[in-house]
Structures are given as C-alpha cells and as structure tokens.
Amino acid sequence: MATIGEALKYPFANFKRVFNYWWILIPIWGWFVVSGYGIRIINTLVNGNTKELPAIRPFTGLFRTGFFAVVTWLTIAIITGLFTLIPVLGWIVYAFIIFIAPLLMFQFAEQGRIRDGFNVLRASKTMFSSFGRYLVAYVKTIVVGIVFLLASILIITLIVTLPAISFSQYFFFAEYYKQYGKTTVTKKK
C-alpha cells in the first residue's frame, strides 16, 4: 500500500514537471491541456509509474482529452448540484456522487469515453468491492492535501504546493483503482 510520504514526494521527483500546472494560465487552451495532463497522470499512475510525473510534451491529444474530461466533470457537477434541490434524499445522492467522483474520473481516464465517466453503477461496485481500502485512500488524499496546504502558508511556496496538491491527489486513488477498478477492456482510439 502506498504511503503518505510517497505521495508527498511524487510531484517533486522530477521537480521541473511540477510547473506543468501553470499552463493553466493560458486561457481556454491551457485549461483543457492541463485537464488532459491530469488524465495522463492518472493513466501513468494506474499503469504503475509512481516514481515521477509524466512529461507534458508532446501536447498531442491533451487538448482533446482535456476538453472531454471537462465536459464530463462539468456535467456531473451540474447534475449533482441539481440533486441538492431535493430535500434530504437529494443531499444523500449528492454526497454519494461526490464520494465516488474520483472513481468516475478514473473510469473516464481508463477508457477515454464520456459514458464511462457517468457509470455510477460501476464506480459504486468498485468502491464497495473494498470499501475500507477506498476510505483509507480518501483519508490519505485529504491528509496529503492538508500537508501541502500547511506548506503553502508562506505565499511564495504556493507556486509549488498548488500544483503538488493537484497532481498528488491522484496517487492513492490510482493504487486503489489499479487493484479494484481497472478493467481488461482496451482503450478505443
């Protein structure tokens, strides 16, 4: 099982790649490229490379992948938000979808299809296949985020810790997904 220390070191193993996050400052193109890079990070981690962030170049395909990832995530966010309009039951559904959101993202990353990002049934089965381990992955991800947040108290370190938070959030969920959620279906291009 991956440790918190490994997750904290992961974004910094190839230090210059931490700055790939800042492509996000280029309007529209950067937003989609960085989202596509997030998908590349997920796939790299799930496939076993937990040593360092992958290269962002070549940019080939990152914009397209990022575009569809953003469309998927925004649609999930809007639908999930609409559930909050339903008293009690809607909030329960909202909380559940937020809880399985990392698995929905990993399913999208694995297959590259929007419909896999909406497959709540598969994500639920994956989560409940080893709920305790999923909960541990969730808690470890929160702990890593808090550590980086505390390291960001000095504003200057925010330049490094903000990308580190973004990139390291995939670390524990990748290990869980590799073991419990990854399918043997090959990705269609």
Side-chain angles (χ1 to χ4, degrees):
M1 181 171 270
T3 66
I4 290 173
E6 290 171 325
L8 291 171
K9 291 177 190 173
Y10 173 69
F12 303 111
N14 190 335
F15 188 71
K16 66 182 179 191
R17 292 184 180 170
V18 168
F19 298 101
N20 288 336
Y21 175 84
W22 295 109
W23 286 102
I24 204 165
L25 295 176
I26 299 173
I28 302 168
W29 182 84
W31 306 337
F32 295 132
V33 165
V34 172
S35 295
Y37 184 56
I39 298 299
R40 183 177 287 171
I41 292 169
I42 288 170
N43 286 324
T44 302
L45 284 168
V46 169
N47 289 327
N49 181 0
T50 58
K51 299 299 178 208
E52 66 181 18
L53 289 168
I56 197 166
R57 294 185 184 190
F59 290 114
T60 311
L62 289 182
F63 182 89
R64 182 180 181 279
T65 301
F67 174 80
F68 288 112
V70 168
V71 166
T72 303
W73 300 331
L74 282 176
T75 305
I76 290 170
I78 290 167
I79 292 169
T80 304
L82 290 175
F83 275 109
T84 63
L85 300 175
I86 304 169
V88 184
L89 181 61
W91 281 93
I92 292 169
V93 171
Y94 171 80
F96 181 74
I97 292 175
I98 293 301
F99 196 63
I100 65 168
L103 293 175
L104 295 172
M105 182 170 37
F106 274 71
Q107 288 172 180
F108 171 83
E110 179 186 15
Q111 297 300 321
R113 297 182 306 232
I114 290 175
R115 70 174 177 234
D116 291 303
F118 295 126
N119 194 339
V120 174
L121 183 61
R122 179 177 163 216
S124 299
K125 286 179 181 177
T126 300
M127 179 185 65
F128 287 120
S129 68
S130 183
F131 184 72
R133 287 185 183 258
Y134 186 73
L135 203 53
V136 168
Y138 223 98
V139 170
K140 282 182 172 180
T141 300
I142 291 168
V143 169
V144 168
I146 290 170
V147 169
F148 280 132
L149 193 61
L150 291 173
S152 299
I153 290 175
L154 300 172
I155 299 300
I156 193 71
T157 62
L158 199 59
I159 294 169
V160 175
T161 56
L162 185 61
I165 289 170
S166 298
F167 297 149
S168 66
Q169 72 180 343
Y170 309 122
F171 199 81
F172 298 112
F173 290 117
E175 180 182 318
Y176 180 87
Y177 191 79
K178 183 175 20 176
Q179 189 169 1
Y180 299 103
K182 191 173 179 185
T183 64
T184 56
V185 178
T186 55
K187 191 174 178 180
K188 293 182 181 177
K189 295 271 176 171

